[in-house]
Amino acid sequence: MTAEEGIRQLLVELGQDVAREGIVDTPARVVKAMKEMTSGYGEDPAAILSRQFDSCGYDDLVVVRGIRFSSLCEHHLLPFTGTAAVAYLPKDKVVGLSKLPRLVECFSKRLQLQEKMTREIAEAIEEHLEPHGVGVYVEAKHQCMACRGVRQTDADMVTTTVLGAMRECRGLKDEFLSAVHAGQY
């Protein structure tokens, strides 16, 4: 059975007339959308972070915040959307500003759990950039909780991962979280 046939069968199970004008092309559209929304499997975090520059002695936090993303919950295949903030404490190298949003995009375009995605982003930076420390903060609204089940449309979820010096030094973690929330209140 092809993916399109599977979607067509799902529509039949939901009581839909798959020959109806508005639905006849839906299986192809769903397959195309799912491929786009899971395109992160084709991205390589090592390649994203491969272009590095000398830090020129910069040894304070680098923080990129307000990184918008959308992902699919692996439990229900429903979207969750939000923002991420990514920080690292350079050792010898830094990366270009666009690389951190690209890394978030890489992991968000996979079937995900928010907790797992947050950790994967942090671990990729730790592995490929080898900074003194890493912090990742993700805040998202989950449609699997908003449009079904408990129907909590205003609830959001916050996850954080801190590694290296940011885990070991409370002051660095506090500085990271302060930078994430600066100007929001």
Side-chain angles (χ1 to χ4, degrees):
M1 176 184 297
T2 69
E4 285 186 27
E5 291 167 342
I7 298 300
R8 195 170 289 106
Q9 183 59 40
L10 175 63
L11 289 167
V12 168
E13 290 293 320
L14 295 173
Q16 296 300 307
D17 174 5
V18 294
R20 184 165 56 88
E21 181 183 352
I23 291 183
V24 72
D25 294 328
T26 296
R29 286 192 297 266
V30 169
V31 170
K32 181 179 178 184
M34 293 300 287
K35 286 181 179 179
E36 179 182 335
M37 291 186 291
T38 59
S39 62
Y41 291 110
E43 298 290 325
D44 179 10
I48 292 169
L49 297 173
S50 66
R51 180 78 167 112
Q52 300 177 6
F53 306 95
D54 187 313
S55 68
C56 298
Y58 186 82
D59 61 358
D60 286 305
L61 281 180
V62 174
V63 182
V64 179
R65 60 186 190 171
I67 303 168
R68 296 199 175 280
F69 72 89
S70 62
S71 190
L72 287 176
C73 161
E74 68 181 31
H75 293 156
H76 300 99
L77 299 182
L78 290 172
F80 64 97
T81 60
T83 59
V86 179
Y88 66 98
L89 188 62
K91 189 181 290 181
D92 300 317
K93 300 288 183 181
V94 294
V95 291
L97 181 61
S98 69
K99 303 309 180 198
L100 299 178
R102 287 180 199 274
L103 188 66
V104 171
E105 183 83 358
C106 166
F107 286 110
S108 69
K109 294 299 182 199
R110 299 175 182 195
L111 298 181
Q112 278 293 9
L113 297 176
Q114 183 176 327
E115 302 92 330
K116 183 175 92 171
M117 182 181 87
T118 304
R119 178 156 292 279
E120 287 174 334
I121 295 165
E123 289 175 346
I125 294 168
E126 183 178 56
E127 178 182 351
H128 302 295
L129 193 53
E130 299 177 348
H132 290 292
V134 178
V136 177
Y137 176 98
V138 177
E139 186 172 343
K141 291 189 180 287
H142 292 251
Q143 290 304 304
C144 59
M145 190 169 74
C147 68
R148 54 161 302 282
V150 297
R151 292 186 176 95
Q152 292 296 309
T153 57
D154 292 329
D156 59 4
M157 179 177 182
V158 172
T159 50
T160 61
T161 296
V162 289
L163 303 174
M166 290 181 67
R167 178 177 284 282
E168 297 158 11
C169 177
R170 180 68 189 182
L172 280 174
K173 182 177 181 179
D174 290 346
E175 182 181 346
F176 164 57
L177 293 175
S178 178
V180 168
H181 297 298
Q184 291 184 358
Y185 302 107

